[in-house]
Amino acid sequence: MKYPVGKEAIEEKGWFLAHRFLLLRRFVQLGVLALFLAGPLFGLWIIKGNLSSSLFLDVVPMTDPFVALQAFAAGHLLETTAIIGAVIIISFYFLLGGRVFCSWVCPVNMISDAAHWLRRKLKIRTSTKLSRKTRFWVLAMALVLPIGLGTMAWELINPVSMFHRGVIFGMGAGWIVLVGIFLFDLLLVEQGWCGHICPHGAFYNVLGRYSPIKVSATNRDKCHKCMDCFAVCPEPQVLKMPLFGENKGFSPVIKSADCTNCARCIDVCSKDVFKITTILPNKAEV
Amino acid sequence: MSSSTTYQPRKMSRRQLITDASRGLCGVGLLATGLAGYAKQSQSLAAQCLRPPGALSEEDFLAACVRCGLCVEACPYDTLKLGKLFEPVTTGTPYFDANVIPCEMCEDIPCQEACPTGAISPELESINDAKMGLAVLLDRETCLNTQGLRCDICVRVCPLMDEAITLEVQRNVRTGHHAMFIPTVHSDACTGCGKCEHACPLPEAAIKVLPLDIAKGELGKHYRWGWVEKDNAGGSLIDEVLDLPDRLPEGD
């Protein structure tokens, strides 16, 4: 990269517009944490529990479907409350696009984004190769292990649950795992945790496969190949065909379920190539 | 656009498929082995860790608890904590250390009410039927009562006084003319709330609450208590001992 990523977009649109989705995303991520923390810290019980399972306004149960599946695999049939909670969360993330959890809610995203940012700043180019499909193997493992062991083995080390739980109930030694992820992403594998290993993300990937809300390279004819979107995208492989595959018959809609709908590509593009769209009515744009 | 220019997805060769699959299996297999070992270890509960009232048996509990902490937030006395990484209790699961804060035995059992998964079983109806653990008078050499003094604190703080803990009177052979009042726990009534351990005035409690599978012995299945069987049968199951007439030395 010859110049800082997104510089052109900042010059074209102004700093705020070139960071609006990033700011919004951080606002949502921290806002979710703040909502959970308001109870234990200030006695403001809007939501109780944590991302694994929670109760909103003392009425609406929410349960992480991946954790619920692990409990099921471990041989426990959850009470109705938890099942209703899982259905609510499944519908929510199915509608919004599966891995929208990863970029807009999951607290680990802030760690991996920080590592990715520092990687660009320090110009660390070397990276160990790891298949992006590894996460599906890990997902399979996380769901098979409990069948034999009768306990949710993955939840012993799941950094997603550990981080969120740690912020609310006390981190203990859990920060070691988080530092580990940061260093792994920074020095070993680019986007290593979220893009290659995390089974939580893999689960939401599977869930969001046919989600209606997608990012689309609607104005791809305006693209002048500055490659800024590739530099910031946590899953850059999803951009290639929608951007450059027109003559191969590819639609501009980023259909890959790897896409986290983080919309950072919209931010850094000075030509307004990308838009958030729905796949249902072909032309509708949000 | 002619059909020759339309995109054909690249086909994966069989060799590629087998290589990828075995690589994935090996890597994840290794991870799984390590994780399975860790998980196995984490399935036994440390002695000082007690589960909330109504918790399923440890094995089922670990399958059912989603580590959400709703029970922790529901507990009005801050009794429950969540296990952290490298602590002797499974990461993220609720427990309490009776020595620090015991269970206050709320009648409405708010932790049970809060549990969304049934890991804290909704089948527990009265807190007095809870089996969080069992109090054991572990150290009879430091317990003040067993030395013939009158402490009795554990008995008096017990929410089920004279049911879960009673004082059994014994002769004090040291002085020869006093009694000793030995705190005695009855497992059928003890809920394992831990108030006795918490209140014990010794710097290190002589009475401690242990998880049930640590505290309880188990009788061999073939074993019968003769006196119970006698009561059940309404009489001795074996013939009475032959009672011969007593012969006394003849007087003169």
Side-chain angles (χ1 to χ4, degrees):
Chain A
M1 250 55 68
K2 291 187 289 289
Y3 51 85
V5 175
K7 192 182 167 205
E8 214 175 319
I10 295 171
E11 281 167 1
E12 200 85 9
K13 308 191 281 190
W15 190 91
F16 186 76
L17 273 185
H19 289 87
R20 58 194 164 131
F21 280 109
L22 182 65
L23 291 173
L24 195 60
R25 216 149 54 78
R26 294 291 176 252
F27 177 76
V28 172
Q29 271 166 344
L30 295 171
V32 169
L33 270 179
L35 277 183
F36 277 100
L37 270 172
L41 286 186
F42 310 112
L44 201 64
W45 292 105
I46 300 161
I47 193 162
K48 291 176 180 166
N50 63 24
L51 283 186
S52 300
S53 195
S54 59
L55 194 60
F56 184 63
L57 294 173
D58 274 327
V59 184
V60 187
M62 291 185 272
T63 307
D64 187 313
F66 174 54
V67 179
L69 260 184
Q70 289 180 68
F72 185 66
H76 180 76
L77 205 59
L78 300 167
E79 291 291 313
T80 329
T81 320
I83 293 174
I84 293 172
V87 170
I88 290 173
I89 291 298
I90 287 175
S91 335
F92 181 78
Y93 284 115
F94 172 76
L95 285 177
L96 287 183
R99 289 200 68 201
V100 81
F101 168 82
C102 302
S103 56
W104 290 78
V105 177
C106 178
V108 179
N109 172 268
M110 288 185 274
I111 296 179
S112 72
D113 274 1
H116 195 214
W117 175 83
L118 196 60
R119 210 171 224 278
R120 283 203 305 275
K121 288 284 159 196
L122 299 177
K123 298 191 170 61
I124 299 174
R125 290 291 181 79
T126 50
S127 175
T128 310
K129 283 249 182 295
L130 188 66
S131 166
R132 282 193 183 262
K133 287 199 177 105
T134 311
R135 50 186 150 192
F136 296 106
W137 290 102
V138 181
L139 174 62
M141 180 198 78
L143 294 178
V144 169
L145 271 186
I147 297 173
L149 294 166
T151 178
M152 285 178 250
W154 184 255
E155 287 306 303
L156 291 172
I157 56 165
N158 186 354
V160 177
S161 330
M162 200 180 286
F163 192 0
H164 200 257
R165 192 170 56 229
V167 171
I168 300 163
F169 298 97
M171 189 66 79
W175 59 269
I176 294 176
V177 176
L178 305 176
V179 172
I181 287 181
F182 180 78
L183 294 177
F184 177 71
D185 271 25
L186 181 69
L187 303 171
L188 276 175
V189 184
E190 189 169 9
Q191 290 292 344
W193 175 259
C194 301
H196 296 75
I197 295 175
C198 180
H200 227 124
F203 175 82
Y204 280 115
N205 174 316
V206 175
L207 177 64
R209 235 145 236 238
Y210 301 102
S211 287
I213 293 184
K214 302 278 178 199
V215 176
S216 166
T218 316
N219 300 319
R220 57 185 169 187
D221 46 315
K222 286 195 202 161
C223 172
H224 66 321
K225 300 195 170 91
C226 71
M227 305 302 274
D228 277 2
C229 53
F230 279 85
V232 293
C233 181
E235 305 272 354
Q237 75 281 7
V238 308
L239 292 171
K240 192 177 160 194
M241 288 307 165
L243 259 182
F244 306 132
E246 190 167 13
N247 47 13
K248 285 179 182 165
F250 268 91
S251 116
V253 179
I254 299 172
K255 290 205 183 96
S256 168
D258 285 347
C259 174
T260 66
N261 283 7
C262 73
R264 224 6 220 148
C265 51
I266 304 179
D267 276 351
V268 298
C269 182
S270 60
K271 302 290 175 195
D272 287 330
V273 168
F274 298 98
K275 277 201 166 60
I276 294 177
T277 59
T278 61
I279 54 162
L280 298 173
N282 232 357
K283 293 277 176 183
E285 282 167 13
V286 181
Chain B
M1 204 184 301
S2 72
S3 64
S4 59
T5 57
T6 48
Y7 174 78
Q8 296 290 316
R10 213 168 356 142
K11 286 207 176 70
M12 193 188 245
S13 72
R14 183 185 303 177
R15 176 172 306 195
Q16 188 66 34
L17 183 80
I18 292 170
T19 315
D20 281 0
S22 38
R23 193 180 285 165
L25 269 179
C26 285
V28 168
L30 232 85
L31 180 64
T33 314
L35 194 55
Y38 181 36
K40 268 285 162 213
Q41 269 187 349
S42 78
Q43 273 171 315
S44 52
L45 190 62
Q48 69 270 38
C49 302
L50 303 171
R51 294 298 186 195
L56 301 173
S57 73
E58 188 62 12
E59 204 189 315
D60 295 339
F61 185 78
L62 287 181
C65 171
V66 291
R67 290 93 158 129
C68 64
L70 280 164
C71 54
V72 176
E73 288 180 340
C75 176
Y77 300 100
D78 285 337
T79 301
L80 294 174
K81 305 279 175 236
L82 288 185
K84 296 176 186 129
L85 196 67
F86 303 141
E87 282 184 351
V89 61
T90 308
T91 317
T93 56
Y95 73 98
F96 69 100
D97 185 341
N99 203 25
V100 184
I101 309 177
C103 173
E104 291 288 340
M105 306 247 294
C106 314
E107 272 180 26
D108 49 349
I109 326 181
C111 51
Q112 177 200 43
E113 185 73 25
C115 180
T117 65
I120 301 178
S121 169
E123 277 163 31
L124 177 70
E125 276 169 14
S126 160
I127 187 69
N128 288 342
D129 298 331
K131 290 274 173 265
M132 293 172 269
L134 178 63
V136 183
L137 183 59
L138 266 178
D139 192 358
R140 300 177 68 98
E141 289 172 340
T142 49
C143 170
L144 299 177
N145 269 37
T146 60
Q147 299 307 311
L149 303 161
R150 291 301 302 270
C151 162
D152 301 355
I153 290 177
C154 55
V155 181
R156 279 179 282 122
V157 296
C158 178
L160 298 170
M161 185 165 77
D162 291 330
E163 279 180 66
I165 308 185
T166 56
L167 288 172
E168 304 295 319
V169 182
Q170 275 179 20
R171 191 175 128 83
N172 186 339
V173 286
R174 181 177 60 83
T175 62
H177 56 272
H178 294 100
M180 294 200 294
F181 295 79
I182 311 293
T184 306
V185 182
H186 303 278
S187 65
D188 52 342
C190 175
T191 60
C193 71
K195 290 195 158 207
C196 50
E197 174 178 345
H198 182 69
C200 178
L202 303 182
E204 180 70 51
I207 190 165
K208 286 195 169 86
V209 178
L210 302 174
L212 272 175
D213 47 353
I214 298 178
K216 279 293 274 181
E218 192 187 335
L219 205 61
K221 292 221 170 9
H222 62 284
Y223 225 91
R224 300 288 181 273
W225 300 125
W227 56 94
V228 175
E229 298 303 323
K230 189 174 169 183
D231 279 354
N232 288 348
S236 182
L237 296 172
I238 53 169
D239 297 334
E240 292 296 331
V241 177
L242 192 60
D243 192 24
L244 296 169
D246 305 318
R247 284 189 300 174
L248 297 169
E250 283 172 40
D252 51 339

